[in-house]
């Protein structure tokens, strides 16, 4: 009888649930998930700001094996997505395996026992054969480095730490940042605030958002004829694959996308001065392309001002922009995103010979297939380096990763191996290939949050999702060292 492999998973978001379901469905029952919070869901638990939602249609932003015929609209909002994650965890037996209030602070590989010793914030430890990191790429909110940021006397908070006790009605509100979260929340804040000041460092390419509520007819069809929902999912996937391919510099999709975005801007913003502020001066796709039909009209409201100079200082009741202009405000909301280079740096992970993962990744995180790191046996990373997407659904990628990880665990047990790690040669060749492709993509010629300070693009996968799914479909044992 093959030995039972114990599997510990850090996190409880989509990536963690994907791995847990895959393992459980294939007979790997010794699974535990460690969650630092008091609820599951990852970013969909934490981001509760007004308008929070996904810019990937819900039929695709969901597990292929768990379609939801009850989505209320094509682009679901945070609360509904969070409820979906809970439902999947319940249905597939993951919920009872989650340990809450368990913040992982360190993990060390023991070569003698071929196990990982995991340390928690309270000083306790657990030991597992296989360690899975599912902390994601966008889990640590990032505040800007501003002089006097702690001196502001009024309410101030990050979008991922929304203060629901603050009433914005009748207030002058500053929103610092104009990326994905700002695009979603600004229309709601503009309706409440007496005045809104948006500090925008660079404008975004904004596409029309083909959102709509699902009617009773849709829901009935999805229930009685599930193929209709699968067909919708397949159609959305096909469109988004073409969009992702358009991020290749040689693609003709870029100019088409540019025309669509500019037409959207001109249609929704009549004021030429405001339109100029909102016109990007970089290639489409260089930074995240966003989708909204509400953002531009919100910015055109008489109570909204767009400031194109960055904030350089915070004082007790005002923000000072880079020109020295002072903006008196009552509330500051930081829509400044996340530490996109964090990966596992917030946890002290040590592999063979005590090598620190942070040291190996000092010049930017890298991993074979975004999952495997030489020198760190039995460590599996979901939504790791170079697996983020410029187009398409990350859930599709997470499912592909989970299937590959499960094959690794299958072979560990069947072959009675104690450990597995990718070879240096395999990882190096893969990294060179990915970086070369990224250099020739739209991201290779501009600055964005996908890039590490060293210059490496560490976040994104180059291109569409199908090539990744094909590449991870079957485990190639020769790419790994088994012991």
């Amino acid at each position: 009888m093959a030995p039972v492999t114990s599997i510990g998973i850090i996190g409880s978001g989509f990536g963690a649930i994907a791995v847990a379901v895959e393992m459980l469905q294939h007979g790997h029952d010794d699974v535990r998930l460690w969650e630092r919070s008091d609820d599951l869901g990852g970013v969909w638990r934490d981001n509760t700001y007004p308008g929070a939602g996904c810019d990937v249609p819900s039929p695709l932003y969901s597990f292929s094996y768990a379609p939801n015929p009850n989505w209320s609209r094509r682009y679901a909002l945070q609360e509904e997505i969070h409820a979906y994650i809970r439902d999947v965890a319940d249905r597939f037996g993951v919920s009872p395996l989650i340990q809450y209030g368990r913040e992982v602070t360190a993990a060390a590989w023991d070569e003698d026992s071929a196990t990982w010793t995991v340390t928690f914030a309270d000083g306790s430890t657990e030991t597992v054969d296989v360690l899975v990191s599912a902390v994601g790429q966008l889990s640590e909110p990032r505040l800007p480095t501003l002089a006097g940021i702690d001196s502001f006397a009024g309410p101030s908070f990050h979008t991922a730490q929304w203060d629901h006790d603050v009433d914005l009605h009748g207030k002058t509100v500053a929103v610092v940042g104009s990326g994905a979260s700002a695009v979603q929340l600004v229309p709601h804040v503009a309706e409440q605030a007496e005045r809104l000041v948006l500090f925008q460092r660079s404008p975004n390419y904004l596409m029309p958002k083909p959102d709509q509520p699902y009617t009773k007819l849709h829901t009935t069809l999805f229930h009685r004829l599930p193929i209709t929902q699968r067909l919708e999912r397949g159609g959305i996937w096909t469109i988004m694959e073409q969009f992702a391919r358009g991020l290749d510099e040689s693609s003709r999709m870029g100019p088409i996308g540019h025309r669509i975005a500019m037409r959207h801007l001109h249609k929704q913003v009549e004021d030429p001065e405001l339109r100029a502020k909102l016109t990007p001066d970089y290639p489409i796709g260089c930074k995240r392309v966003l989708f909204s039909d509400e953002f531009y009209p919100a910015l055109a409201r008489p109570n909204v001002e767009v400031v194109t100079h960055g904030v350089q200082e915070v004082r007790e009741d005002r923000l000072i922009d880079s020109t020295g202009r002072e903006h008196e405000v009552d509330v500051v909301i930081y829509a400044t995103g996340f530490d996109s280079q964090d990966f596992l740096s917030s946890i002290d992970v040590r592999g063979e010979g005590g090598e620190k993962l942070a040291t190996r990744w000092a010049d930017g995180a890298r991993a074979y297939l975004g999952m495997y790191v030489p020198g760190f046996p039995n460590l599996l990373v979901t939504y790791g380096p170079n697996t983020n997407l410029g187009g398409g659904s990350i859930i599709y990628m997470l499912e592909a990763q989970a299937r590959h990880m499960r094959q690794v665990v299958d072979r560990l047990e069947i072959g009675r191996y104690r450990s597995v790690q990718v070879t240096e040669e395999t990882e190096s060749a893969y990294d060179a290939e990915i970086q070369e492709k990224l250099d020739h993509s739209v991201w290779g010629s501009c600055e964005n949050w996908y890039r590490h300070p060293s210059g490496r693009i560490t976040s994104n996968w180059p291109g569409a999702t199908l090539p990744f799914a094909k590449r991870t479909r079957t485990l190639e044992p020769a790419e790994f060292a088994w012991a």
Side-chain angles (χ1 to χ4, degrees):
M1 181 176 179
V4 174
T5 302
S6 57
I7 303 166
I9 304 174
I10 307 172
S12 66
F14 267 113
I17 302 302
V19 174
V21 169
E22 181 71 21
M23 296 298 177
L24 293 172
Q25 292 290 297
H26 289 82
H28 301 293
D29 298 325
D30 191 349
V31 176
R32 67 205 74 170
L33 295 83
W34 301 303
E35 172 52 56
R36 64 185 177 182
S37 185
D38 59 359
D39 192 9
L40 58 76
V43 296
W44 296 111
R45 172 197 63 235
D46 296 339
N47 287 269
T48 60
Y49 59 83
C54 186
D55 55 11
V56 176
S58 298
L60 186 58
Y61 196 80
S62 51
F63 294 114
S64 62
Y65 49 79
N68 176 18
N70 298 313
W71 292 118
S72 65
R73 59 188 315 108
R74 180 168 288 134
Y75 289 82
L77 297 177
Q78 174 268 335
E79 188 174 359
E80 198 169 3
I81 298 172
H82 192 197
Y84 172 78
I85 301 175
R86 282 202 193 100
D87 178 65
V88 172
D90 289 344
R91 280 196 287 147
F92 289 87
V94 178
S95 296
L97 308 177
I98 305 175
Q99 302 174 21
Y100 293 107
R102 299 287 274 167
E103 181 179 359
V104 175
T105 58
W109 172 253
D110 185 294
E111 297 179 41
D112 293 332
S113 63
T115 59
W116 282 95
T117 299
V118 179
T119 303
F120 302 90
D122 62 3
S124 62
T125 62
E126 288 191 41
T127 301
V128 291
D129 300 314
V130 171
L131 179 63
V132 180
S133 167
V135 301
Q137 294 189 25
L138 304 173
S139 59
E140 295 295 330
R142 179 178 59 83
L143 289 173
T145 303
L146 299 175
I149 191 170
D150 295 325
S151 66
F152 189 74
S156 64
F157 47 87
H158 191 279
T159 55
Q161 299 161 333
W162 193 267
D163 189 341
H164 291 275
D165 293 330
V166 176
D167 184 2
L168 301 179
H169 288 87
K171 302 285 179 38
T172 298
V173 180
V175 175
V176 181
S178 60
S181 56
V183 165
Q184 294 181 343
L185 71 89
V186 160
H188 298 270
V189 175
E191 289 183 353
Q192 300 175 43
E194 180 176 329
R195 184 166 172 267
L196 187 155
V197 184
L198 175 69
F199 290 87
Q200 169 194 274
R201 286 195 304 176
S202 62
N204 304 291
Y205 281 99
L206 217 63
M207 294 286 201
K209 189 173 185 176
D211 192 14
Q212 65 175 30
Y214 283 122
T215 65
K216 186 175 181 180
L217 175 60
H218 286 107
T219 304
T220 301
L221 276 174
F222 294 158
H223 275 281
R224 295 183 179 178
L225 294 171
I227 191 174
T228 57
Q229 193 172 29
R230 291 198 297 272
L231 288 170
E232 183 186 31
R233 176 186 172 96
I236 294 169
W237 178 84
T238 301
I239 292 169
M240 299 201 79
E241 285 289 276
Q242 295 304 315
F243 178 82
R245 290 191 181 100
L247 299 176
D248 187 313
E249 281 191 333
S250 63
S251 172
R252 285 181 283 183
M253 292 296 292
I256 295 174
H258 182 273
R259 286 196 296 272
I260 294 172
M262 291 300 96
R263 187 180 301 121
H264 188 48
L265 172 61
H266 281 251
K267 181 179 179 181
Q268 292 202 312
V269 179
E270 295 181 359
D271 179 11
E273 183 177 346
L274 177 58
R275 190 188 300 156
K277 289 181 178 181
L278 301 174
T279 302
D281 61 357
Y282 53 86
I284 188 169
C286 167
K287 299 181 181 182
R288 183 174 172 183
V289 177
L290 304 176
F291 297 81
S292 176
D293 293 330
E294 301 174 340
F295 184 63
Y296 286 150
L299 298 187
R301 292 171 61 109
N303 67 323
V304 176
E305 178 185 2
V306 178
V307 177
T308 57
H309 305 288
V311 178
Q312 70 174 15
E313 183 182 354
V314 181
R315 296 181 186 169
E316 185 177 348
D317 61 350
R318 66 197 61 204
L319 302 183
I320 316 299
D321 69 29
S322 58
T323 69
R325 181 184 169 198
E326 300 185 5
H327 306 264
E328 290 190 32
V329 297
D330 303 309
V331 181
V332 180
I333 299 170
Y334 292 103
T336 47
F338 299 85
D339 184 353
S340 62
Q341 301 301 322
D342 175 62
F343 292 100
L344 270 166
S345 63
S346 58
I347 301 173
D348 183 11
V349 180
R350 298 177 184 247
E352 289 182 330
E355 180 186 12
K356 297 184 69 170
L357 184 59
T359 301
R360 176 173 279 261
W361 283 355
D363 292 329
R366 49 191 285 178
Y368 177 58
L369 300 176
M371 294 184 271
Y372 310 105
V373 185
F376 291 80
N378 294 16
L379 174 66
L380 318 178
V381 182
T382 184
Y383 194 17
N386 297 119
T387 58
N388 186 59
L389 298 173
S393 173
I394 191 61
I395 312 303
Y396 185 88
M397 299 283 279
L398 296 177
E399 284 192 50
Q401 290 182 314
R403 286 193 295 269
H404 197 273
M405 291 179 183
R406 188 260 306 161
Q407 293 179 62
V408 167
V409 176
D410 284 347
R411 194 168 194 274
L412 271 175
E413 290 191 355
I414 294 171
R416 296 183 177 273
Y417 297 107
R418 301 171 75 231
S419 69
V420 58
Q421 62 177 300
V422 68
T423 66
E424 291 275 6
E425 296 77 14
T426 297
E427 192 276 335
S428 293
Y430 174 81
D431 183 70
E433 174 194 345
I434 295 300
Q435 291 301 316
E436 194 273 336
K437 288 181 178 178
L438 288 166
D439 284 342
H440 290 86
S441 73
V442 67
W443 304 309
S445 58
C446 58
E447 292 300 318
N448 45 54
W449 61 260
Y450 312 132
R451 191 182 296 275
H452 186 269
S454 67
R456 288 173 51 84
I457 298 175
T458 57
S459 297
N460 281 12
W461 166 256
T465 60
L466 183 59
F468 185 85
K470 288 181 175 179
R471 191 158 191 165
T472 56
R473 185 167 294 156
T474 304
L475 172 68
E476 298 293 341
E479 296 173 338
F480 296 83
W482 307 82

